[in-house]
Amino acid sequence: MSPPQRELDFRFLAQPGDVNFGGKVHGGAVMKWIDQAAYAAAVGWSGAYCVTAALSGLQFIAPILIGDLVTVQVKLIRTGHSSMHFAVDVLARALKAREQRLATSCVIVFVALDEADGKPVPVPSWQPQSEDDLRLAESAAELSSLSKAMESAMLAARRTG
């Protein structure tokens, strides 16, 4: 049996329904694309039902316009016992252009669950194979630590407020 697929690309055209009043794709549509592509990658890696656990490092860098060719690139960058961290880049380009521009970037975390009772299940382990892989895995670990620290700070603020 071959190993699970680590990377996934979705390509499509930005549709008129994705655009806000300024003629640019609204953030909600981009977030939907990120979630759909990353969900497909998580299920493909784990072979299990998955839920989104966290999203961090979200950056809206450049606009996406109606009719742009959009590519959502998803790459596994870290695994835990039942979690998978994916780097997601949303790229866009006009159909007649050759160069893509980075429009949005983030890290999204999914947890694999047993459909019967909703408890976390193990996922296949992944280990960095290159210097770039190692750098991405370390960045994912750092973002995870920052997210946990922010969550703790918010809980402490709620208790004292």
Side-chain angles (χ1 to χ4, degrees):
M1 183 171 172
S2 63
Q5 183 177 338
R6 181 179 169 217
E7 297 181 46
L8 181 72
D9 287 358
F10 278 9
R11 286 189 182 89
F12 51 90
L13 294 176
Q15 299 293 312
D18 300 326
V19 176
N20 63 22
F21 293 114
K24 298 174 180 135
V25 172
H26 57 82
V30 176
M31 295 302 299
K32 179 180 176 184
W33 300 339
I34 288 169
D35 193 55
Q36 290 172 336
Y39 177 78
V43 169
W45 183 266
S46 68
Y49 171 72
C50 296
V51 295
T52 306
L55 184 131
S56 57
L58 178 64
Q59 299 176 35
F60 289 99
I61 299 162
I64 300 171
L65 307 175
I66 189 170
D68 274 354
L69 179 62
V70 177
T71 303
V72 182
Q73 295 179 332
V74 183
K75 184 176 192 176
L76 181 73
I77 60 172
R78 183 174 187 235
T79 56
H81 175 71
S82 61
S83 64
M84 299 151 287
H85 298 224
F86 294 93
V88 181
D89 287 333
V90 181
L91 307 164
R93 71 172 176 86
L95 287 176
K96 293 183 180 181
R98 294 188 187 270
E99 295 292 319
Q100 292 184 329
R101 63 191 178 280
L102 180 61
T104 306
S105 175
C106 68
V107 172
I108 189 167
V109 181
F110 280 85
V111 174
L113 300 177
D114 178 343
E115 287 187 67
D117 56 11
K119 294 186 180 186
V121 296
V123 299
S125 178
W126 174 80
Q127 296 299 319
Q129 303 296 313
S130 68
E131 288 296 319
D132 190 45
D133 285 349
L134 186 58
R135 183 183 54 76
L136 288 169
E138 288 170 351
S139 294
E142 186 176 326
L143 280 172
S144 183
S145 293
L146 288 170
S147 290
K148 287 176 184 173
M150 286 175 46
E151 185 179 312
S152 294
M154 290 300 295
L155 286 172
R158 284 190 194 122
R159 280 186 245 137
T160 60

